[in-house]
Amino acid sequence: MPAGRRQLPWFAGVILAALVLTALFAAWLAPHSPTAGDITQKLIPPVWMERGDWEHPLGTDRFGRDVLSRIIYGSRISLLVSLIAIGFAGTVGTVLGLISGYRGGVTDAILMRLTDIGLSLPAILIAVVLVAVSEPSFRNVVLIIAVLLWPRFARQIRGETLAIKEQDFVALAIVAGRSSSWIISRHIFPNVVPTLLVITTLQVGYVILLEGTLSFLGVGVPPPSPAWGLMIADGRGFLATAWWISLFPGLAMLLTVLAVNLLGDWLRDHLDPKLRQLGVRATVLESADAIPVGVGVGDAPARGAAGGDGD
């Protein structure tokens, strides 16, 4: 693996930093209220088009609501849903994965069968059914996404635990009479943290897309909340005349998911010891290929000295 692959993706860092800052300071950055509309200002195009103005730089929707303000506040919804759902799912999945991998036996069999059931379910279909039954709300969307997400954490953490518990330091702790909870918390969990960070980062993009899909289908965060998926759905009937209503929130979602995936890929390359070893080997091989065949390390100075004597 080339060494440059492990360099920090600055594009992803800038996009994610902008997302976090926008979500934190939405009240100060948004030029208008995200929910208040003015019917006299409806369907105003972006500022660079005819009839556009700087009061609404990205235009307005069919209710006269400012698109830029709704995108800014929509970043807060996406970030909150991701943090809460992944935090809950990651905690439950990590605990169950650690217990399943360390205990083994019947405990492992039962927990992994539940995990297999969770992984086999069609996420979007189940989410749509559950949200529709329980009525759309921010809380229900977060809970349902978390319920669908924990098996991903449990399966991966269980696999890491199975490998780590065979290490010598775990065997020494068992011989020393340490309890299972002590070994898991002091020896196994710290060694699965890098994997947990990678999984968490990669799941952020998935959660944002899932929440956007639910909002687009009308079973996500209810209107008039400025969710990005809901904004895309609001503009689908105006694609020919007011394309900006759907385009800009779609671009915001695209850039955010792309940035999160790039950061997750970098973390995986940076934290995984196996991938780091592959990177070192690739660098060594590239250096070896740069040396001409048959030329030793001390050949060049020796030839230069010989040439000087001959003159």
Side-chain angles (χ1 to χ4, degrees):
M1 184 186 306
R5 178 67 180 271
R6 298 194 304 273
Q7 295 178 355
L8 179 66
W10 293 108
F11 170 79
V14 170
I15 295 296
L16 293 179
L19 174 69
V20 173
L21 293 175
T22 300
L24 291 176
F25 301 103
W28 291 274
L29 295 176
H32 302 278
S33 169
T35 57
D38 184 357
I39 199 67
T40 63
Q41 301 289 318
K42 68 175 183 178
L43 301 182
I44 293 179
V47 65
W48 60 85
M49 297 180 63
E50 185 179 357
R51 294 194 312 107
D53 58 61
W54 284 103
E55 185 178 359
H56 305 285
L58 298 183
T60 60
D61 62 9
R62 56 176 176 161
F63 298 111
R65 297 173 298 193
D66 184 64
V67 172
L68 176 60
S69 300
R70 290 177 62 78
I71 291 175
I72 291 175
Y73 274 92
S75 65
R76 176 178 292 181
I77 294 177
S78 297
L79 192 61
L80 283 176
V81 171
S82 300
L83 290 178
I84 299 174
I86 292 176
F88 180 78
T91 301
V92 173
T94 300
V95 171
L96 294 180
L98 289 170
I99 295 174
S100 176
Y102 185 78
R103 298 285 297 179
V106 177
T107 303
D108 180 43
I110 294 175
L111 291 178
M112 284 304 101
R113 295 301 75 75
L114 293 175
T115 301
D116 291 339
I117 293 173
L119 291 174
S120 65
L121 296 176
I124 294 179
L125 178 60
I126 297 299
V128 169
V129 173
L130 293 178
V131 174
V133 170
S134 60
E135 83 177 14
S137 68
F138 180 87
R139 182 188 63 183
N140 290 339
V141 169
V142 170
L143 288 177
I144 289 171
I145 292 177
V147 168
L148 293 173
L149 207 61
W150 72 264
R152 298 169 179 247
F153 288 87
R155 171 65 72 182
Q156 191 68 34
I157 297 301
R158 180 251 188 187
E160 293 289 325
T161 303
L162 287 175
I164 294 171
K165 77 173 185 178
E166 301 297 331
Q167 300 296 321
D168 292 339
F169 58 85
V170 176
L172 291 174
I174 295 175
V175 172
R178 298 296 186 179
S179 64
S180 298
S181 59
W182 192 94
I183 294 174
I184 291 175
S185 61
R186 297 295 184 90
H187 287 307
I188 296 181
F189 177 71
N191 285 281
V192 303
V193 168
T195 300
L196 183 60
L197 289 176
V198 174
I199 301 173
T200 300
T201 306
L202 293 175
Q203 294 306 312
V204 172
Y206 174 78
V207 172
I208 291 176
L209 286 177
L210 182 56
E211 182 274 325
T213 301
L214 294 177
S215 298
F216 180 84
L217 296 175
V219 292
V221 180
S225 299
W228 287 343
L230 192 59
M231 295 176 64
I232 297 174
D234 287 342
R236 60 185 171 182
F238 299 89
L239 292 178
T241 56
W243 47 266
W244 55 86
I245 301 176
S246 295
L247 176 65
F248 293 123
L251 285 177
M253 186 180 296
L254 170 65
L255 292 175
T256 301
V257 174
L258 176 61
V260 170
N261 288 340
L262 288 175
L263 182 61
D265 185 61
W266 175 79
L267 282 175
R268 183 186 60 188
D269 294 349
H270 189 72
L271 296 177
D272 193 330
K274 296 179 181 179
L275 293 178
R276 287 206 305 268
Q277 291 177 2
L278 290 176
V280 171
R281 292 178 182 176
T283 303
V284 172
L285 291 176
E286 289 177 358
S287 301
D289 291 340
I291 302 176
V293 178
V295 178
V297 176
D299 288 350
R303 291 181 179 179
D309 294 339
D311 292 338

